[in-house]
Amino acid sequence: MLKYIIIILIVAIVIYSLPRFMSYSTTLNTSKPSVSKMLDKGHLVSISILPIFSKENDSYNEYFRIINYIDNISNHTNIFKRNKISIKIQQLSLNKQLQWKYLHNIIHYAQRKNVFFWISAITMETLDIEYEYYLKLLSLGYKNIGITLAAYNTSVSKKIDHILSLKGHVRLVKGIYKGDIRNSKTIDIMYYKNAIKLIDSGYYHTIATHDFKMIRKLYSYNDTFYKYIELAFFYNSYNYVQHMLPKMPFKTDFISFYIPHGEHYSFLKDNII
């Protein structure tokens, strides 16, 4: 009797665990229709992988599969005109040494595949460590990496100045978490001020905003910025973006949509500005 009880318990555990493992292993497949839709429209995609990693598992290896996937769906030889991946370092591990080890391995492999990564340093708790890792990668000569910085953090201006002095790449956002700037008008000022720096650099960066008044204002400042600056949007705002783009005084195909891949994406909200 005890033998049968043990067998039943084992079967129950397997059945309970199976859906979770299956959903993890197929999360990239669930994103593929969205990716295909964007590619068919002539847009780029930036895939964000969002499982929560730990010291005890090797789930970070999922990145290597996604790097191969991005490589296969990207036809352009210019790395900036290819599809990209977004990474949040704090999800690699809670252990700092493992964070760096995993990140270094991932970026090294991605460079071999000519795949660009964005580090998403947008929460106050992780700004310094992700910025530190980004600078370390630049010092090691990696060219396939950029960093996401949010205009609602007062540190953004100084960091962008330093990154530009190193010829690094920035994806500028207003922010969807919490920073030390709460006033929306001040955030707009910070965004415009730093977007101008990116435009003046004359090379690749990303302006990520759904604020088309801001985009129009940047166009008034420099009517050719969209030729080397990528415009980025959230996938869930696709219809709004398609409605607004024809109203802009310029046309560009240098546009990307941020598509989440993974189970843990509860922080993403609709109509983010």
Side-chain angles (χ1 to χ4, degrees):
M1 177 65 69
L2 180 60
K3 177 180 178 181
Y4 290 113
I5 292 175
I6 293 173
I7 293 174
I8 291 172
L9 286 174
I10 292 173
V11 171
I13 291 171
V14 171
I15 293 174
Y16 174 80
S17 302
L18 186 59
R20 181 178 180 182
F21 290 139
M22 289 179 64
S23 64
Y24 176 81
S25 63
T26 59
T27 47
L28 181 55
N29 288 334
T30 62
S31 298
K32 286 181 178 179
S34 302
V35 172
S36 296
K37 177 181 176 181
M38 294 300 96
L39 297 182
D40 290 344
K41 296 291 184 179
H43 303 315
L44 297 172
V45 298
S46 180
I47 292 182
S48 176
I49 178 173
L50 292 162
I52 303 299
F53 303 116
S54 72
K55 183 179 179 180
E56 289 74 28
N57 67 43
D58 61 353
S59 300
Y60 76 94
N61 285 313
E62 178 82 349
Y63 276 106
F64 297 99
R65 188 163 71 95
I66 297 181
I67 290 169
N68 291 335
Y69 173 67
I70 289 292
D71 180 37
N72 289 333
I73 65 172
S74 301
N75 298 319
H76 213 290
T77 57
N78 184 335
I79 193 171
F80 305 127
K81 295 296 181 74
R82 287 162 63 84
N83 301 291
K84 303 173 183 71
I85 302 175
S86 180
I87 185 170
K88 291 176 174 58
I89 296 172
Q90 73 272 25
Q91 293 176 319
L92 291 176
S93 172
L94 298 178
N95 180 281
K96 189 174 179 180
Q97 290 182 332
L98 285 178
Q99 283 179 356
W100 170 249
K101 176 184 176 181
Y102 295 161
L103 177 67
H104 190 195
N105 290 342
I106 289 166
I107 299 305
H108 185 75
Y109 183 74
Q111 181 163 268
R112 287 171 48 199
K113 292 290 187 175
N114 199 29
V115 172
F116 193 91
F117 262 79
W118 286 113
I119 295 176
S120 295
I122 53 178
T123 62
M124 294 183 67
E125 295 78 12
T126 61
L127 286 179
D128 291 339
I129 184 63
E130 291 174 323
Y131 180 61
E132 173 191 330
Y133 286 158
Y134 178 58
L135 295 182
K136 191 172 181 179
L137 287 166
L138 288 183
S139 71
L140 292 174
Y142 289 98
K143 305 294 185 183
N144 64 323
I145 188 78
I147 189 167
T148 302
L149 296 175
Y152 59 22
N153 291 307
T154 53
S155 63
V156 66
S157 296
K158 184 176 180 180
K159 287 178 177 176
I160 285 180
D161 289 344
H162 186 52
I163 290 169
L164 293 181
S165 73
L166 300 173
K167 296 296 181 181
H169 306 283
V170 175
R171 178 171 64 181
L172 184 64
V173 302
K174 287 189 179 179
I176 62 174
Y177 298 100
K178 291 182 180 179
D180 56 5
I181 302 176
R182 304 298 176 88
N183 184 279
S184 61
K185 290 184 179 179
T186 303
I187 294 172
D188 285 345
I189 293 171
M190 290 288 286
Y191 193 92
Y192 179 75
K193 172 184 175 182
N194 285 286
I196 292 301
K197 295 177 187 177
L198 303 184
I199 291 172
D200 286 347
S201 74
Y203 62 91
Y204 173 75
H205 302 283
T206 291
I207 298 296
T209 181
H210 300 84
D211 184 348
F212 281 88
K213 290 183 180 179
M214 178 67 70
I215 295 174
R216 186 181 290 271
K217 187 176 179 181
L218 294 173
Y219 175 80
S220 297
Y221 175 78
N222 183 322
D223 61 6
T224 63
F225 84 93
Y226 58 88
K227 294 182 179 180
Y228 55 94
I229 298 288
E230 181 180 325
L231 295 178
F233 309 96
F234 278 117
Y235 176 73
N236 66 335
S237 298
Y238 174 77
N239 290 335
Y240 173 69
V241 172
Q242 293 302 308
H243 174 71
M244 294 301 297
L245 280 176
K247 299 180 180 182
M248 293 296 100
F250 63 92
K251 292 184 179 180
T252 179
D253 59 358
F254 203 8
I255 292 173
S256 67
F257 285 86
Y258 185 93
I259 298 177
H261 158 54
E263 300 173 359
H264 302 272
Y265 210 67
S266 59
F267 59 81
L268 184 58
K269 300 177 181 178
D270 292 331
N271 303 315
I272 294 170
I273 296 191

